Amino acid sequence: MPHPFELEFELALPADPEQVWEAIATGPGIDSWFMGRNAVEPRVGGTASMETGGHLETSTVTAYEPGKRFAFRTDPAPDGRFMAFEYLIEGRDGGSTVLRAVHSGMLGDDWQDEYDALRSGWPFHLHTLREYVTHFAGRRGVPVFAVQPVPGRPAAEVRAALTAALGLPADPPVGRRVRADLPGLPPLDGELVWSDGERYEVRTADGLFTFLHPPGVVLLFHHLFDDRAFDGLVADAAEPAWQQWLTALLSS
């Protein structure tokens, strides 16, 4: 049976409401901190879409008040499952903004696992949003995605492979410098800005690089802010290069 849920988060952002609106309610803005490649039709009743690894998910825009409120929801599945998202923006003194994010809907039979994944994932994504508006304001991020299944491999073994490749200790603290020479890729030179049991995030001068390793799979969600990405050259080359690196690291 479907199970109702609701998650609510609030965070202060060092950006004005117009900048936050651009980040959460436009395709290029969402591309710069969330998952996949996104598009938003800017009107109530319009379509919001996200494509990740060949999977396309579409939603209907249910609220569109520029600088104030943006909401959308997926169509219900045959068993009643759906997802609804709402962002509420409130300007504060000094050019800052408070953003409230609400994620609700109906989950499936394994709702507890789904709920736990959503509850642990949202703080990370909102952290990435803060990193974006703090360090890359006014720049457009190009998303890069790669995935490598690791069925049957112990989580500790997968984690050790990732940390070794990134030149990190087993349990690296946030704030640690990251300097890694990765075969077939530019050197990774930046700061570890997120570290937990399932993911790392590295911020460099021109990108946010996320390495996610839940049980059975490793996923990369990167956001490149290199201006050359807009002529297609960097963007077209980056995704297959990261996929090749990930496969070589974990396929043996």
Side-chain angles (χ1 to χ4, degrees), residues 4-155:
F5 80 99
E6 181 173 294
L7 293 165
E8 182 174 333
F9 303 92
E10 183 175 290
L11 75 159
L13 295 168
D16 62 37
E18 290 74 19
Q19 291 172 308
V20 175
W21 176 263
E22 182 72 20
I24 59 96
T26 71
I30 301 168
D31 283 354
S32 300
W33 64 276
F34 201 57
M35 298 181 295
R37 291 174 169 83
N38 298 268
V40 176
E41 191 177 0
R43 62 179 179 85
V44 173
T47 298
S49 64
M50 178 176 69
E51 186 274 325
T52 305
H55 173 72
L56 180 66
E57 181 176 279
T58 60
S59 303
T60 300
V61 177
T62 56
Y64 191 86
E65 302 173 41
K68 296 180 178 179
R69 181 173 178 242
F70 178 53
F72 54 98
R73 62 178 289 169
T74 63
D75 291 334
D79 64 358
R81 288 178 299 166
F82 73 92
M83 297 282 188
F85 305 83
E86 181 181 34
Y87 295 104
L88 298 166
I89 296 172
E90 180 182 345
R92 294 289 175 88
D93 293 340
S96 64
T97 300
V98 171
L99 177 69
R100 185 159 65 94
V102 182
H103 186 181
S104 60
M106 300 288 284
L107 299 175
D109 291 340
D110 57 347
W111 67 269
Q112 187 66 61
D113 289 341
E114 292 182 74
Y115 178 80
D116 289 344
L118 295 172
R119 185 176 58 179
S120 65
W122 266 109
F124 168 75
H125 291 302
L126 294 175
H127 159 84
T128 303
L129 171 60
R130 183 184 283 115
E131 290 288 319
Y132 168 51
V133 300
T134 301
H135 299 281
F136 302 100
R139 299 173 70 181
R140 174 184 170 188
V142 175
V144 168
F145 174 76
V147 57
Q148 179 62 40
V150 285
R153 293 186 67 174

